[in-house]
């Protein structure tokens, strides 16, 4: 997938891709249920991002164009053309690694949101 020496990606593009990937991973996994090859590709993409590969490159390798588009939602680019609803990126929790701009609220049961890429709880933002 990621090849050493590739052209660097803009931080805006990578941040948008990371936020989309984090929010979309549960839906991608659910959509691939029963297809072990697709699930393996999604798991490999997660590993690559955790290992430092730019999220924008990983999205491209999965077949998604991570380029931010002019449409905005909550101040962040909405990645379209995936057949998925845009992720809601507002709230009182932030990315635990600070690698993306995703924001989230506790779920309906009051549980803290999770970073799907790093499988970690999101961090409560200081008021």
């Amino acid at each position: 997938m990621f090849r050493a020496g590739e052209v660097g990606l803009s931080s805006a593009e990578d941040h948008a891709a990371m936020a989309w990937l984090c929010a979309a991973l549960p839906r991608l996994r659910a959509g691939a249920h029963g297809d072990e090859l697709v699930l393996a590709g999604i798991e490999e993409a997660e590993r690559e991002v955790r290992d430092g590969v730019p999220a924008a490159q990983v999205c491209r390798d999965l077949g998604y164009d991570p380029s931010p588009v002019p449409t905005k939602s909550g101040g962040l680019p909405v990645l379209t053309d995936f057949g998925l609803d845009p992720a809601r990126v507002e709230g009182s929790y932030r990315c635990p690694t600070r690698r993306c701009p995703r924001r989230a609220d506790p779920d309906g049961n009051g549980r803290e949101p999770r970073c799907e890429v790093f499988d970690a709880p999101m961090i409560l933002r200081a008021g």
Side-chain angles (χ1 to χ4, degrees):
M1 291 185 155
F2 181 71
R3 290 160 292 283
E6 287 195 18
V7 176
L9 303 167
S10 74
S11 63
E13 179 183 52
D14 199 50
H15 285 159
M18 180 71 85
W20 178 84
L21 189 60
C22 182
L25 276 172
R27 292 177 284 180
L28 292 174
R29 286 186 207 110
H33 183 71
D35 189 331
E36 296 303 317
L37 185 60
V38 172
L39 285 171
I42 292 168
E43 289 170 2
E44 175 64 19
E46 290 177 71
R47 275 191 297 279
E48 287 181 343
V49 171
R50 285 192 299 265
D51 290 343
V53 175
Q57 183 62 48
V58 169
C59 286
R60 280 192 191 91
D61 290 342
L62 286 172
Y64 301 106
D65 179 10
S67 299
V69 294
T71 306
K72 299 276 184 176
S73 172
L76 294 173
V78 174
L79 300 178
T80 57
D81 301 329
F82 302 122
L84 300 170
D85 294 330
R88 190 169 166 209
V89 289
E90 59 187 9
S92 57
Y93 285 78
R94 67 167 174 77
C95 175
T97 64
R98 296 183 183 221
R99 286 185 60 190
C100 85
R102 182 174 173 231
R103 300 287 182 259
D105 292 317
D107 69 11
N109 295 319
R111 290 180 295 233
E112 63 193 0
R114 295 192 63 78
C115 170
E116 296 295 331
V117 174
F118 289 92
D119 190 28
M122 294 180 76
I123 305 297
L124 183 63
R125 294 173 59 204

